[in-house]
Amino acid sequence: MNHSPTCPLPCLLAVFRLWSSAVPSQLSHLIEAKEDAFDLQVEAARFDKFFYKNGTQFFMKGIAYQADVSTQGATNGEAYHDPLADVEACTRDIPYLQELGTNIIRVYAVDPSNNHDQCMRLLDDAGIYVISDLSEPETSINRDDAKWDDVLYKRYTDVIDALQGYSNVMGFFAGNEVTNMPNNTDASAFVKAAVRDMKAYIKEKGYRQIPVGYATNDDEKIREQLADYFNCGDADERADFWGYNIYSWCGNSSYKEAGYDQRTKEFADYSIPVFFAEYGCNVPSPREFTDVPALYGDEMSQVFSGGIVYMYHQEQNNFGLVEVTSDGEVKKLRDFDNLKKQILNVNPKGVQMDDYNPTNTIPRDCPQLSENWEASNTLPPTPDEGLCKCMVESLECVASKNVEDKSMGELFAFVCGSGNVDCSGIDANSTSAQYGPFSMCSSAERLSWVFNEYYNTNGKTSQSCDFNGNATPQIAQSADKCQEARERASSTSTPLSTAGADDDSAAIIFSSLGGSFWIVGTVALTAYIAGAATVLM
């Protein structure tokens, strides 16, 4: 919805209709903030729509705005280009965003050390809000080896610290399509832990209550479980909004053929706001965007709060609305004109805040563990940087500072798979809800823990703290502050011996650590450890 000329951006405040969790049959008070803030108040209540301060419902008319490094280039060797720090690009592109009636952009990676003042002011002046992902390509929750550790925690909180002061920041994504198929659903527990901790951090810091949510893909086997999981359980763990990346409407499809009718039905009773966090199928190309009238039409606008078209910049994936040439010139593509034709002609019929009496105030039931769902309702612990630092300082053998990330997996496999080190103290299993006391420490910190355990169980010799230069001894400091956690994580294993070297079990001998020792086990374990030998020998 375009901003009313009688109420420009500075006098608008997007708020949720608050529905008291303590008294679910009555509307609670409306928490308002200063006039120039776009405050989305999310506390213990549940909400399913966005509103401006003047009571008008807010519908997203958004564009994904993040150029790939290959398009814009990154500075200082970074893996991404910060779109909110590129004043030249912001100045150039905002008029085109305005031409499309854009009222929000989604950015996927920002550098919290950059200054974003100028771009954010330009966007604010143009009536454009920002919803930002908290991760970046090299610091994000990995669906194939999911963790929620102190490095990720710092990255996420740094982004919040950098952006929270801008009144046109609408929200944060704690993850984007982390779980994308049934075989990696366990990763969702770590994302939900990130949602919980970022909500708590915002509250603890006394920031305005910027909501934290998640953007999901559209996998038919797990879409229901995902939506349920992030909107179940305790209020402080639930997502504040649900972003849906959906590309099922291709070409001249239809409301029913694209499955939009079913998605609308599924979310009709969802108790938090839902919107398309990405949409715009590009087969065939150019896109006609015939789904836009449906998304903002009478049926869908009762459930969905608009959407964000993917994407502004033309790249190899062929989703662009414009092409930016090497000399910085913007060339509109057919997709731009087609979207403009559709988006400027929609006028979703929302509800007035004072007239709205929501009935969908009950969260979902948490999904049960099954073949297609392996994320427990018991979430990983909140990362504690101080605890992890204390743990490392208390060790006698630690990972060297020059250990390469690509080598860590093989080093973990070797030490934890050799049979003489119990790594449960640093392991996290979100299906069984077993989280070691140091499972929320960084990879380097956890590697230090297992190196030290190996060192203790193998004679504390110089050879047992080497690993071809990947480990180094140090003088241990007092562990008083983390002694309890250390005791809980301590290995219960016994030193490795050569007792089984003569049986029929497969065995290999390593001499690379300065002292020969046997690894006895199955053929599979032998093959697994052999894969790590190149790192150690």
Side-chain angles (χ1 to χ4, degrees):
M1 182 177 295
N2 293 330
H3 295 306
S4 167
T6 61
C7 188
L9 180 62
C11 80
L12 292 178
L13 172 65
V15 297
F16 291 122
R17 187 58 163 175
L18 304 187
W19 187 262
S20 171
S21 60
V23 188
S25 62
Q26 299 177 4
L27 289 175
S28 72
H29 64 288
L30 179 63
I31 303 175
E32 297 183 351
K34 59 184 181 179
E35 287 285 318
D36 63 346
F38 188 1
D39 267 330
L40 303 180
Q41 303 292 347
V42 180
E43 294 180 333
R46 292 293 85 191
F47 328 91
D48 72 322
K49 298 187 188 303
F50 300 117
F51 293 95
Y52 286 111
K53 186 179 179 181
N54 66 358
T56 304
Q57 186 177 346
F58 175 78
F59 290 93
M60 293 183 179
K61 294 182 180 179
I63 304 290
Y65 184 74
Q66 182 97 33
D68 187 73
V69 173
S70 62
T71 302
Q72 293 283 342
T75 60
N76 301 322
E78 294 174 346
Y80 61 93
H81 180 79
D82 184 345
L84 300 181
D86 190 338
V87 179
E88 182 179 354
C90 289
T91 304
R92 177 196 66 205
D93 295 334
I94 286 175
Y96 293 95
L97 295 171
Q98 289 179 293
E99 189 176 343
L100 292 171
T102 305
N103 62 15
I104 188 168
I105 60 171
R106 177 182 179 183
V107 296
Y108 293 82
V110 300
D111 184 345
S113 67
N114 284 339
N115 186 299
H116 304 103
D117 290 352
Q118 290 180 267
C119 277
M120 293 303 293
R121 172 49 59 189
L122 290 169
L123 289 164
D124 187 74
D125 290 343
I128 298 174
Y129 300 108
V130 174
I131 188 166
S132 175
D133 288 51
L134 293 172
S135 62
E136 55 99 344
E138 295 183 351
T139 312
S140 59
I141 299 174
N142 181 354
R143 65 172 67 95
D144 297 320
D145 184 25
K147 294 288 185 294
W148 175 234
D149 62 26
D150 52 357
V151 172
L152 287 166
Y153 185 94
K154 186 177 189 309
R155 159 70 196 185
Y156 282 33
T157 54
D158 282 351
V159 174
I160 290 175
D161 289 341
L163 297 183
Q164 59 82 27
Y166 301 112
S167 62
N168 54 330
V169 170
M170 183 176 177
F172 298 112
F173 288 107
N176 180 69
E177 298 188 8
V178 179
T179 290
N180 64 354
M181 57 182 64
N183 66 0
N184 53 39
T185 57
D186 61 314
S188 285
F190 299 92
V191 182
K192 192 171 181 180
V195 171
R196 173 202 64 200
D197 291 345
M198 294 307 98
K199 290 174 64 171
Y201 181 80
I202 290 170
K203 184 176 182 180
E204 175 190 339
K205 297 289 285 187
Y207 296 152
R208 62 186 178 88
Q209 295 195 13
I210 309 171
V212 182
Y214 178 71
T216 184
N217 73 324
D218 183 35
D219 187 294
E220 63 179 355
K221 292 183 179 179
I222 55 173
R223 63 162 73 101
E224 182 178 347
Q225 291 97 322
L226 276 165
D228 290 350
Y229 187 72
F230 281 88
N231 189 23
C232 77
D234 294 338
D236 58 2
E237 296 178 349
R238 299 196 293 263
D240 295 327
F241 59 78
W242 190 243
Y244 204 8
N245 298 346
I246 183 168
Y247 294 89
S248 60
W249 188 306
C250 299
N252 290 312
S253 188
S254 67
Y255 179 65
K256 185 174 182 179
E257 183 181 350
Y260 280 24
D261 59 335
Q262 293 303 308
R263 306 293 82 77
T264 302
K265 181 178 179 181
E266 290 162 1
F267 287 102
D269 63 349
Y270 210 55
S271 62
I272 58 176
V274 187
F275 56 90
F276 284 6
E278 290 178 5
Y279 76 100
C281 173
N282 65 348
V283 180
S285 182
R287 295 176 285 180
E288 297 292 337
F289 292 104
T290 54
D291 50 348
V292 168
L295 177 59
Y296 297 93
D298 291 345
E299 292 178 288
M300 294 190 72
S301 64
Q302 295 181 45
V303 175
F304 292 93
S305 295
I308 299 171
V309 170
Y310 190 83
M311 58 181 292
Y312 182 78
H313 301 87
Q314 174 71 328
E315 295 171 351
Q316 291 184 351
N317 58 18
N318 196 34
F319 277 96
L321 300 173
V322 305
E323 181 179 356
V324 180
T325 64
S326 58
D327 60 1
E329 180 186 356
V330 176
K331 297 174 62 176
K332 298 177 187 177
L333 302 178
R334 285 274 303 278
D335 289 46
F336 183 100
D337 295 329
N338 291 341
L339 176 60
K340 178 180 177 180
K341 179 182 178 181
Q342 297 284 5
I343 199 75
L344 295 185
N345 284 322
V346 297
N347 185 25
K349 297 177 181 178
V351 297
Q352 285 298 121
M353 186 170 60
D354 290 339
D355 298 331
Y356 184 52
N357 294 301
T359 57
N360 52 333
T361 60
I362 301 174
R364 295 289 179 89
D365 293 329
C366 292
Q368 300 299 309
L369 294 176
S370 66
E371 181 180 357
N372 286 337
W373 191 257
E374 297 184 339
S376 167
N377 299 323
T378 301
L379 303 181
T382 300
D384 185 335
E385 184 179 12
L387 179 66
C388 295
K389 181 181 179 182
C390 173
M391 177 268 287
V392 173
E393 290 176 345
S394 71
L395 306 178
E396 296 178 284
C397 178
V398 297
S400 300
K401 295 185 182 300
N402 60 353
V403 177
E404 296 182 358
D405 290 344
K406 64 181 180 181
S407 301
M408 286 189 181
E410 294 172 328
L411 289 165
F412 276 119
F414 175 76
V415 179
C416 296
S418 65
N420 70 319
V421 172
D422 179 3
C423 292
S424 60
I426 54 96
D427 284 343
N429 187 317
S430 63
T431 302
S432 62
Q434 298 296 311
Y435 306 108
F438 301 122
S439 62
M440 41 67 172
C441 298
S442 71
S443 296
E445 291 164 337
R446 289 184 288 111
L447 187 61
S448 290
W449 172 261
V450 300
F451 277 172
N452 193 72
E453 289 292 280
Y454 180 87
Y455 177 72
N456 286 333
T457 56
N458 285 277
K460 292 189 175 184
T461 66
S462 59
Q463 291 87 353
S464 59
C465 184
D466 181 67
F467 291 89
N468 199 27
N470 288 306
T472 185
Q474 70 172 16
I475 299 175
Q477 299 182 27
S478 172
D480 292 345
K481 295 181 180 179
C482 51
Q483 186 60 38
E484 181 183 352
R486 281 206 57 179
E487 291 174 355
R488 285 189 287 122
S490 290
S491 171
T492 57
S493 59
T494 56
L496 187 69
S497 71
T498 59
D502 292 330
D503 16 65
D504 295 332
S505 300
I508 48 177
I509 187 168
F510 285 90
S511 58
S512 58
L513 305 183
S516 298
F517 62 91
W518 286 92
I519 293 176
V520 182
T522 65
V523 174
L525 177 60
T526 301
Y528 189 37
I529 299 301
T534 56
V535 179
L536 305 171
M537 299 183 68

